[in-house]
Amino acid sequence: MTTRVYRDAWGVPHLRADGADELAYAQGRNAAADRAWQLEVERHRSQGTTASFLGAEAVPWDRFARRVRLEDTARRCLEALEREDRGTAAWVRSYVDGVNDGLAQGAARAPEFAASGLAPGRWRPWTPLGVWLSTHILFAGFPAKLWRDAVARRLGPEWVGVFATDGPGTSGSNGWLVPAERSATGAAIVAGDPHRFIEAPGVYQQIRLACPEFDVVGLAVPGVPGIAHFGHAGQVAWAITNAMADYQDLYRERLRRTGPGGERVEALGPDGWRPAERRVETVEVAGGEPVTVEVIETERGPVIADGDEAAHWADPDAPVRGSPAGDVFGALSLRHPPRVSADLGFRVLPALLRARSVADVDRALDGWVEPVNVVLAADTAGGTLHRVAGAVPVRHPDNRIRVVPAWESRYAWRAWHGPMPRERVGGVAVMANQRGIAEPLGAEFAPPHRAERIRELLAKRAVWSARDMAAVHRDTLLASAAPLLDLLARTDPGELGPDARRLRERLLDWDRRMDADSVGAASFAAVRTATVRLLADHPLLRPLAEPPAAPEVFRPWLALVPRVGYALEHLLTTDRLPLADRAGAVRAAVEEVAAGEAAAQGPPARWGDTHRLAPWQALPAGPGESWPALAGDHDCVLATSSVPGVTDLSARASAARYVWDLARREDSAWVVPLGASGVPGDPHHRDQLPLWARCELVPVVTDWDRLTEEPAVPPSAPHDRGEK
């Protein structure tokens, strides 16, 4: 096996091999060398075993992972892949072999293993599928159905739309395609940035994969072979955003225990009581007692909540009690495509690497499953593609909106949507999670501001180059500020104190840009926060203040203050809240913030003083660790999301930025939030962070002569190669 590893000036790995399987092995081994700690954390997340080294705080995720059967679903999907596409299955196994052969070397470089007491383990052939599942199981935000259900029950169904907006926990992205006739080179440009929770190490890895069959640069997910979402294969380039489609359903279940000691469980379905699968698993907890998890699966899917956690959504005819044998109790089950079809769409991954045209990309994506994406692609022959890819079930419209009863046949899945929606690219194409091409498949979408602003920016020039695209990436205009500022403009200055009058004038003169050094942006954010908290305490919304009991991983979707923060535009314009109360909340917020600013010592606060990066890390940050100030905000093109009313810190932002130039691939550019290496102390651990914070990009290097080859490391003995 001949494989070679090269690096550019930013430490980005460029891998060469004699064939696709050998290249997959090299990619797995490189991921283990550069990201051993990250890979092992992701493996344990997919297995539901993170508490064994991270402690009690990790138990809620492990309980959810066990209940939803992530690893078992991954195993089923691989078994089906081996039956139906042995070539792709072998390619995945080669990747796993590389990971296993590189883990010991990678772990020796990563101090987190010693700090946590974790020893590197063994990857199974299905582990990459488990990593993909655990990364995306909450991607479509099915817990939002719990929120909508709670709103309908407590306030009435007419209130559900007031809160319908891109909310906590949802992942989005920007993407745009400038066709050949609008490009300075006569070839298309594809650009954008995925918005995800920022993790350290980063969730995307810049990489190049080259063999006689293909040569692709792109953004890989560490732990998963190939380049799924963002790639440039020389003759064709592609990118995606979250389609905001709804393809995961929650069912209200009636369960009962039978047999000696209630060890067996039955579930009420359309055809009466049917046996449910049941098992008991143990979650080991570092520094604590083991936790027992009951895993139940009905014909709809795995039970993700039962007992008190499901009481709010339980049917009134199914009382929740201590459940001795024979008692009926309520539960919630999850039905989602990979569990139903035993397919994750992994056969698409090698097909994308071999793509030479948009037609190739289009054919490959017909087999995509999860997550459901909007895709943009372009090729050097002038072809363009704008379509939705993924698996969406055909079922009752209510399934998209709320929790539905499992025992009513009208809520069963009937078929799969197809063909997926598509549009011709005319002028420019923009995707930013807004209503549009994917609207027939979804229930909630992002506000239109990012999409409209990108279109507005692209309309300002007749011709664009790849180098120009950073100006679109870094735009900080906050269109969603309008409703609050409109109410402020309608406020009689005579009703305000002197400090509040001056603050009102400054905010009305503010350019609505969330720049890091902007005093106006900081003042607006402070008024927004105060307004959110005041509205959350409004008597009409107070019934939502106490969230219903639910598994801990769903709580971000059920907390009132973040929901008010993300729906602030609607709440400030809806007639369901009296105008006097909405205006009064803004007026009181301005008075509160003005008083605080008047009492503050030192120079005026700037947005970047409080709006700083706050990435997730499996282990606590070290003493004195600081993260940069950020421009942008949730509804800006530069989407560095805060949670209005809760915190100005940004945990969700651009997990990468990219510009694919179809005329000259070497004129493409990209950046990630941290760096190419996941190893603390490595020169490339966080060397891209300052550039990312300034919204600058680094060049994509394609000339092999400008790269540095690493010394060859012989492969380890084959041993079990992940077969166990």
Side-chain angles (χ1 to χ4, degrees):
M1 179 187 297
T2 303
T3 61
R4 295 178 179 177
V5 179
Y6 300 78
R7 304 275 182 176
D8 64 17
W10 297 95
V12 173
H14 296 241
L15 311 180
R16 299 179 83 168
D18 294 335
D21 285 359
E22 292 88 346
L23 189 58
Y25 173 90
Q27 186 183 7
R29 183 158 184 165
N30 170 261
D34 285 3
R35 309 284 186 109
W37 169 250
Q38 180 181 19
L39 261 60
E40 282 295 82
V41 169
E42 293 302 325
R43 177 175 70 85
H44 281 280
R45 281 176 59 82
S46 71
Q47 296 173 172
T49 54
T50 56
S52 65
F53 61 98
L54 296 180
E57 289 187 0
V59 168
W61 172 264
D62 285 355
R63 181 185 289 113
F64 170 69
R66 303 294 187 96
R67 282 175 157 180
V68 82
R69 310 201 69 182
L70 287 182
E71 187 177 36
D72 185 68
T73 303
R75 179 185 56 78
R76 286 188 185 184
C77 290
L78 182 74
E79 289 173 351
L81 191 63
E82 288 178 325
R83 292 191 301 269
E84 299 163 10
D85 188 344
R86 297 181 65 181
T88 297
W91 178 76
V92 174
R93 284 176 174 268
S94 293
Y95 180 90
V96 171
D97 290 345
V99 171
N100 282 327
D101 285 351
L103 266 179
Q105 174 192 1
R109 301 176 61 214
E112 296 95 338
F113 284 91
S116 65
L118 179 67
R122 298 289 302 164
W123 279 47
R124 307 298 179 90
W126 56 83
T127 300
L129 288 80
V131 169
W132 189 262
L133 270 170
S134 67
T135 301
H136 293 102
I137 188 66
L138 295 173
F139 193 85
F142 69 81
K145 295 180 182 181
L146 301 178
W147 168 257
R148 292 195 290 267
D149 200 295
V151 171
R153 290 183 185 218
R154 295 180 178 184
L155 301 185
E158 67 276 7
W159 277 89
V160 171
V162 176
F163 289 95
T165 186
D166 184 20
T170 303
S171 295
S173 303
N174 296 324
W176 58 93
L177 188 159
V178 175
E181 59 268 23
R182 295 282 306 279
S183 165
T185 62
I189 301 168
V190 179
D193 57 315
H195 308 153
R196 304 184 75 132
F197 284 103
I198 303 300
E199 301 180 11
V203 298
Y204 284 115
Q205 178 194 27
Q206 299 152 303
I207 199 167
R208 183 182 188 181
L209 303 175
C211 67
E213 290 183 85
F214 53 80
D215 182 343
V216 184
V217 297
L219 297 161
V221 174
V224 178
I227 295 171
H229 286 161
F230 312 95
H232 193 329
Q235 295 168 289
V236 63
W238 63 91
I240 63 96
T241 62
N242 184 354
M244 308 297 283
D246 185 86
Y247 51 89
Q248 301 167 317
D249 284 349
L250 288 175
Y251 286 89
R252 182 183 304 116
E253 298 276 2
R254 295 179 185 172
L255 306 180
R256 70 182 182 190
R257 299 188 184 278
T258 63
E263 293 179 357
R264 293 194 293 272
V265 174
E266 293 180 341
L268 182 63
D271 299 320
W273 291 97
R274 300 289 297 272
E277 185 179 345
R278 176 189 180 271
R279 59 190 294 174
V280 176
E281 299 183 7
T282 300
V283 174
E284 300 294 336
V285 182
E289 294 297 318
V291 174
T292 299
V293 179
E294 184 179 35
V295 179
I296 300 172
E297 185 165 10
T298 74
E299 292 179 344
R300 270 67 58 197
V303 168
I304 57 173
D306 60 11
D308 291 341
E309 290 181 331
H312 179 85
W313 296 276
D315 188 76
D317 295 328
V320 178
R321 300 192 288 271
S323 301
D327 270 4
V328 175
F329 61 102
L332 295 173
S333 65
L334 173 68
R335 188 169 181 82
H336 64 119
R339 190 68 184 167
V340 173
S341 64
D343 185 10
L344 261 181
F346 262 44
R347 70 186 66 189
V348 172
L349 299 180
L352 282 176
L353 294 175
R354 296 183 172 97
R356 294 293 181 269
S357 66
V358 294
D360 294 339
V361 171
D362 196 14
R363 280 191 298 270
L365 290 173
D366 284 340
W368 192 246
V369 177
E370 184 175 359
V372 180
N373 297 321
V374 176
V375 181
L376 290 175
D379 62 30
T380 54
T384 56
L385 177 68
H386 185 194
R387 63 163 291 181
V388 179
V392 179
V394 176
R395 72 278 205 217
H396 195 284
D398 286 355
N399 290 43
R400 294 187 192 172
I401 305 301
R402 58 183 178 86
V403 183
V404 294
W407 51 88
E408 294 189 23
S409 59
R410 58 179 171 158
Y411 299 115
W413 288 12
R414 301 191 298 273
W416 299 101
H417 274 284
M420 287 287 103
R422 61 179 62 232
E423 287 184 355
R424 186 182 66 85
V425 175
V428 298
V430 177
M431 50 185 187
N433 321 116
Q434 78 279 20
R435 291 185 183 275
I437 186 173
E439 184 170 7
L441 306 176
E444 290 190 30
F445 295 84
H449 307 303
R450 286 184 284 117
E452 291 176 353
R453 181 60 177 167
I454 292 169
R455 287 188 180 278
E456 180 183 342
L457 291 168
L458 293 175
K460 290 184 175 181
R461 298 186 189 182
V463 175
W464 287 83
S465 70
R467 185 176 298 177
D468 298 329
M469 289 301 165
V472 180
H473 279 119
R474 69 169 62 99
D475 189 78
T476 61
L477 185 71
L478 187 67
S480 61
L484 191 155
L485 295 176
D486 288 348
L487 283 174
L488 185 59
R490 294 164 64 179
T491 300
D492 183 354
E495 297 179 359
L496 300 173
D499 293 331
R501 283 199 299 272
R502 285 190 288 272
L503 175 57
R504 174 184 179 274
E505 292 172 4
R506 284 197 294 112
L507 287 176
L508 294 179
D509 288 340
W510 171 53
D511 61 8
R512 305 191 184 190
R513 292 186 175 275
M514 300 299 284
D515 296 328
D517 60 357
S518 170
V519 173
S523 295
F524 170 81
V527 171
R528 179 177 63 182
T529 286
T531 302
V532 167
R533 291 175 176 166
L534 288 164
L535 287 179
D537 195 43
H538 191 282
L540 288 175
L541 301 185
R542 212 168 286 156
L544 296 170
E546 184 63 33
E552 191 172 329
V553 291
F554 303 153
R555 290 180 187 172
W557 284 268
L558 298 172
L560 175 60
V561 173
R563 281 289 175 180
V564 171
Y566 284 121
L568 186 61
E569 277 189 283
H570 292 174
L571 287 164
L572 290 178
T573 55
T574 182
D575 57 7
R576 299 202 177 279
L577 288 175
L579 174 60
D581 293 354
R582 289 178 272 135
V586 172
R587 184 170 59 250
V590 170
E591 291 281 9
E592 176 186 324
V593 171
E597 290 184 346
Q601 302 294 317
R606 301 173 302 170
W607 177 225
D609 294 339
T610 56
H611 189 57
R612 309 184 75 85
L613 182 63
W616 179 84
Q617 300 177 81
L619 295 180
E625 186 171 46
S626 63
W627 295 94
L630 299 179
D633 198 27
H634 185 73
D635 290 323
C636 300
V637 177
L638 181 54
T640 55
S641 296
S642 60
V643 185
V646 178
T647 180
D648 289 342
L649 295 174
S650 179
R652 199 179 92 185
S654 300
R657 299 187 185 103
Y658 59 90
V659 178
W660 301 144
D661 190 331
L662 268 297
R664 286 169 44 89
R665 188 166 65 164
E666 58 268 34
D667 288 341
S668 300
W670 52 9
V671 73
V672 293
L674 302 178
S677 174
V679 180
D682 187 282
H684 304 297
H685 184 222
R686 294 184 182 172
D687 57 337
Q688 294 184 51
L689 179 58
L691 297 173
W692 176 85
R694 297 194 300 269
C695 212
E696 299 176 10
L697 295 93
V698 301
V700 170
V701 178
T702 58
D703 184 350
W704 294 99
D705 291 336
R706 294 176 57 197
L707 306 174
T708 302
E709 184 174 2
E710 288 188 348
V713 179
S716 304
H719 38 79
D720 66 6
R721 288 285 173 119
E723 295 296 324
K724 292 182 180 178

